[in-house]
Amino acid sequence: MLELKDVSFTYQGAAEPVLKGISMKAREGSFVSIIGASGSGKTTLFRLLNGLEEPDSGSILIDGKPLSEHRSYASYMPQQDLLFPWLTVEKNVMLPMRIRHCPKEECRKQALEMLRQVGLSEWAEHFPRELSGGMRQRVSFARTLCAGGKLMLLDEPFSALDSITRLSLQEWLREQWAELGRTILFITHDVEEALFLSEKILVLTGSPANELKEFDVLLPRERTREMLDLPGVNALKAELTGLLRKEACV
């Protein structure tokens, strides 16, 4: 459903491009993780996919058509939950639908359904300050779902969480992906997180970034953490880690 063809981008006033001739594909319903060294251009790539920036050259296609021909094709979840503290959980989740001028009762009904899906129905009338970090991220995920679109862009959504909560939410996210059937692009610095979550891993390489190296994760859709210790997965982890270390030194 998603294809980038020789995409290049330079921020205004910058001497060099951030991305140069990047190409990739993601099929509908897939889970793809993107990893790379800090400052390699991962978030810039998401800004392009979100339509917040336009490429200098190349094309970005959704279902074979340019981004300009689509509306509400993607939703974005950043590193921080960005919940509004003065709004209840329910109203935070309703917000993207209200911005699109959906009728209030329809918005409320859908928001409550999304909160049910993420296991937070009973917290609808609470405020963000009353929730744990993991619960806040689940609310943020529900809000992202309500933003619409077949493509979900998740930019290191678990990076600020403690390790136990992070592991729990990784498992939870895989369950949500299996149930919802949406296409997910997931940015992370954590190789093991990428291996556990993904069908495919793309490594952003070069300076400026000029290639997304592709690696298939040869694990079943229904997987356990114990599978990360399989010899083939360990070998892939070592290869990815070595590649990241090399890129960090460039």
Side-chain angles (χ1 to χ4, degrees):
M1 70 165 292
L2 169 66
E3 184 175 7
L4 276 71
K5 294 182 176 181
D6 298 317
V7 169
S8 297
F9 176 77
T10 307
Y11 283 106
Q12 187 174 3
E16 293 188 348
V18 180
L19 304 174
K20 186 176 181 180
I22 292 292
S23 297
M24 66 161 284
K25 291 182 179 181
R27 65 174 180 81
E28 187 168 356
S30 61
F31 197 123
V32 179
S33 285
I34 300 174
I35 60 177
S38 295
S40 60
K42 301 184 296 299
T43 297
T44 298
L45 181 61
F46 268 22
R47 290 182 63 83
L48 290 166
L49 292 174
N50 235 341
L52 299 174
E53 305 285 356
E54 292 187 7
D56 303 330
S57 60
S59 58
I60 303 174
L61 306 176
I62 300 288
D63 295 331
K65 297 180 181 179
L67 290 190
S68 58
E69 297 183 23
H70 292 269
R71 293 188 64 185
S72 302
Y73 60 88
S75 53
Y76 174 65
M77 180 176 171
Q79 295 179 27
Q80 304 299 323
D81 59 69
L82 301 182
L83 300 179
F84 291 100
W86 59 87
L87 295 178
T88 63
V89 165
E90 176 188 278
K91 289 181 179 178
N92 266 288
V93 175
M94 288 171 60
L95 192 59
M97 295 181 287
R98 295 294 287 162
I99 290 172
R100 299 199 307 269
H101 305 292
C102 293
K104 187 173 182 180
E105 283 308 309
E106 182 181 330
C107 291
R108 185 172 186 273
K109 181 179 179 181
Q110 188 170 343
L112 290 174
E113 172 57 22
M114 291 302 179
L115 287 172
R116 183 195 65 78
Q117 288 188 25
V118 303
L120 292 173
S121 296
E122 68 274 22
W123 293 88
E125 297 302 319
H126 289 253
F127 289 88
R129 64 177 178 272
E130 301 175 83
L131 278 58
S132 68
M135 293 166 73
R136 289 169 64 101
Q137 287 301 90
R138 282 192 280 158
V139 173
S140 181
F141 185 81
R143 184 175 62 184
T144 303
L145 288 172
C146 286
K150 297 188 296 182
L151 176 64
M152 298 190 71
L153 307 172
L154 310 184
D155 189 354
E156 296 193 79
F158 306 146
S159 61
L161 302 174
D162 65 85
S163 58
I164 299 300
T165 303
R166 183 170 184 160
L167 293 175
S168 175
L169 283 180
Q170 288 170 7
E171 293 166 1
W172 173 83
L173 178 57
R174 278 198 61 83
E175 292 171 0
Q176 295 296 311
W177 170 60
E179 182 177 339
L180 295 165
R182 298 202 190 184
T183 306
I184 293 180
L185 263 59
F186 187 94
I187 288 178
T188 180
H189 282 91
D190 188 328
V191 172
E192 193 162 299
E193 180 173 66
L195 288 168
F196 180 70
L197 290 172
S198 317
E199 295 179 305
K200 181 165 66 176
I201 296 174
L202 303 176
V203 184
L204 200 54
T205 62
S207 182
N210 54 37
E211 185 180 5
L212 279 164
K213 294 183 181 293
E214 183 175 317
F215 299 85
D216 290 321
V217 180
L218 301 179
L219 286 174
R221 193 178 180 102
E222 296 295 326
R223 63 187 65 170
T224 64
R225 291 200 180 274
E226 288 71 26
M227 292 178 182
L228 297 179
D229 293 325
L230 293 171
V233 180
N234 266 325
L236 178 55
K237 180 179 179 180
E239 184 177 1
L240 292 169
T241 301
L243 184 56
L244 287 178
R245 285 176 175 168
K246 179 181 176 181
E247 289 299 313
C249 295
V250 172

